Amino acid sequence: MYVKTVRKAIIPAAGLGTRFLPATKAMPKEMLPIVDKPTIQYIVEEAIESGIEDIIIVTGKGKRAIEDHFDHAFELEQALLKSNKHDLLEKVKEPSKVDIHYIRQKEPKGLGHAVWCARKFIGDEPFAVLLGDDIVQAETPCLKQLMNEFEQTRSSVIGVKQVADDETHRYGIIDPIDKKGRRYQVRQFVEKPAPGTAPSNLAIMGRYILTPEIFLFLEKQEAGTGGEIQLTDAIQKLNEIQRVFAYEFEGKRYDVGEKLGFIQTTIEFGLQNEEMREELLKFMEEIIRQYAKS
Ligand code: UTP
């Protein structure tokens, strides 16, 4: 049982981003923008809105781009100030409600290993993990929903959403025992089950609250699916000694970790932007006509 509240979050951003090559050859995929913001900024904003006080970003290559993005940009701010571009000035200011720290994952050995790299920063308290592959739009921020769950159960809780049958092999999937509201008790967490073998359609969506005991298992965790040290495998071991719940969060989830989802999200977020909605709709009607003919 934990009395402490969740104050710290890990954002792993050290993967190779192979699905976006060559764009990610010299730049982390978390810096790819949806309309005008890098995906990692959406994630940092969700953490801030959820009440997180300290964030540690696990970086690999392209570390500087991420650090510079969240840093004070003196020359840029002066230039915007001089030209009276106050609205843009607000957009480039570094987040003030949170401290952002960095740690390097020397080799991309997998998500589980990336989380393990931040163990000293976390210490002995429950913490959050947010992945940039999923952006969630919700009335109550997705992470906040999980933090509210943690307040009630004082147990680890993993964010899940339903996916189509033919997509389960791309995700960590839960084998639920029973359901109370949106909360599931879980028999097993399975990383990327082979097609047709998934125990359910409930997929892990890149939002986690974990107790620090997870590090005991990450320390010894061997490589699993894809030759990577998998966080899901360590969560399953944690589940064998403590309760680990899954929570089907509210809100719309956007898959920005692969190309098609990234483009779909860009279009939808573009349509949500009042300045460009009308022009974008006109353009879409035009190209739909054009491509329907060919
Ligand atoms: P992904 O598997 O989606 O990221 O990992 P990837 O490996 O960079 O992408 P692809 O599959 O090659 O296109 C989920 C998250 O975990 C981070 C990634 O940066 C991403 O945010 N990650 C993954 C690490 O930080 N370190 C790793 O060793 C692996």
Side-chain angles (χ1 to χ4, degrees):
M1 283 286 274
Y2 288 86
V3 285
K4 289 177 186 157
T5 51
V6 177
R7 302 179 304 128
K8 296 178 181 173
I10 303 175
I11 303 181
L16 290 176
T18 53
R19 283 169 286 179
F20 285 92
L21 281 171
T24 46
K25 197 173 163 200
M27 176 176 71
K29 74 171 173 187
E30 291 76 7
M31 284 302 292
L32 295 174
I34 301 289
V35 186
D36 55 5
K37 260 193 248 177
T39 53
I40 195 164
Q41 189 174 339
Y42 291 93
I43 305 305
V44 165
E45 287 174 1
E46 181 185 323
I48 294 172
E49 283 161 23
S50 302
I52 291 292
E53 295 164 19
D54 280 282
I55 291 175
I56 188 159
I57 300 179
V58 184
T59 59
K61 65 186 168 12
K63 169 189 160 89
R64 275 209 36 205
I66 297 181
E67 281 194 20
D68 287 350
H69 182 74
F70 291 111
D71 201 359
H72 181 59
F74 180 76
E75 284 167 18
L76 176 61
E77 289 186 20
Q78 289 304 309
L80 294 172
L81 199 63
K82 258 192 213 158
S83 51
N84 278 323
K85 294 190 171 146
H86 297 285
D87 50 338
L88 285 180
L89 187 60
E90 278 313 303
K91 284 189 184 171
V92 302
K93 278 194 174 157
E94 74 271 28
S96 57
K97 289 193 190 131
V98 75
D99 285 321
I100 303 183
H101 315 259
Y102 299 90
I103 188 139
R104 187 102 179 177
Q105 183 188 21
K106 292 195 184 90
E107 239 183 282
K109 292 186 185 170
L111 173 60
H113 181 257
V115 170
W116 184 76
C117 287
R119 69 200 177 282
K120 288 186 184 151
F121 168 82
I122 297 298
D124 187 26
E125 53 183 285
F127 62 98
V129 179
L130 299 100
L131 305 189
D133 282 356
D134 303 294
I135 294 178
V136 183
Q137 284 186 333
E139 220 162 281
T140 304
C142 179
L143 185 64
K144 182 71 187 158
Q145 295 179 43
L146 298 190
M147 286 163 72
N148 291 343
E149 271 296 292
F150 179 82
E151 293 290 318
Q152 289 180 37
T153 63
R154 302 275 156 196
S155 302
S156 297
V157 52
I158 316 297
V160 296
K161 270 265 186 240
Q162 299 271 357
V163 295
D165 285 346
D166 59 355
E167 287 196 344
T168 49
H169 66 283
R170 293 179 43 214
Y171 296 92
I173 298 288
I174 67 161
D175 181 2
I177 302 170
D178 87 60
K179 184 182 182 192
K180 205 170 164 199
R182 292 176 167 270
R183 182 192 302 159
Y184 291 88
Q185 275 197 333
V186 182
R187 184 175 299 113
Q188 226 185 336
F189 294 83
V190 193
E191 182 60 24
K192 298 195 176 77
T197 66
S200 79
N201 284 25
L202 291 160
I204 299 175
M205 288 298 173
R207 299 292 183 278
Y208 312 75
I209 305 286
L210 295 167
T211 57
E213 282 74 20
I214 192 74
F215 293 118
L216 301 174
F217 299 107
L218 285 174
E219 172 109 38
K220 291 179 270 169
Q221 189 61 53
E222 296 192 350
T225 316
E228 295 194 347
I229 296 173
Q230 298 288 354
L231 182 59
T232 309
D233 295 343
I235 290 173
Q236 172 48 28
K237 294 201 179 118
L238 183 67
N239 189 34
E240 286 162 15
I241 62 154
Q242 290 180 349
R243 294 185 309 181
V244 179
F245 291 106
Y247 184 77
E248 198 174 352
F249 57 82
E250 276 177 273
K252 184 160 179 185
R253 167 249 172 188
Y254 296 88
D255 180 4
V256 296
E258 53 93 30
K259 276 182 277 201
L260 179 62
F262 188 88
I263 291 169
Q264 288 167 334
T265 309
T266 303
I267 294 171
E268 194 166 334
F269 280 37
L271 289 170
Q272 289 174 8
N273 182 320
E274 280 176 25
E275 273 171 39
M276 63 172 95
R277 180 181 304 141
E278 218 171 296
E279 283 299 314
L280 185 54
L281 275 172
K282 247 194 258 166
F283 170 75
M284 284 165 65
E285 279 165 18
E286 237 172 72
I287 54 167
I288 287 167
R289 267 200 303 275
Q290 184 186 336
Y291 281 85
K293 271 190 232 151
S294 56

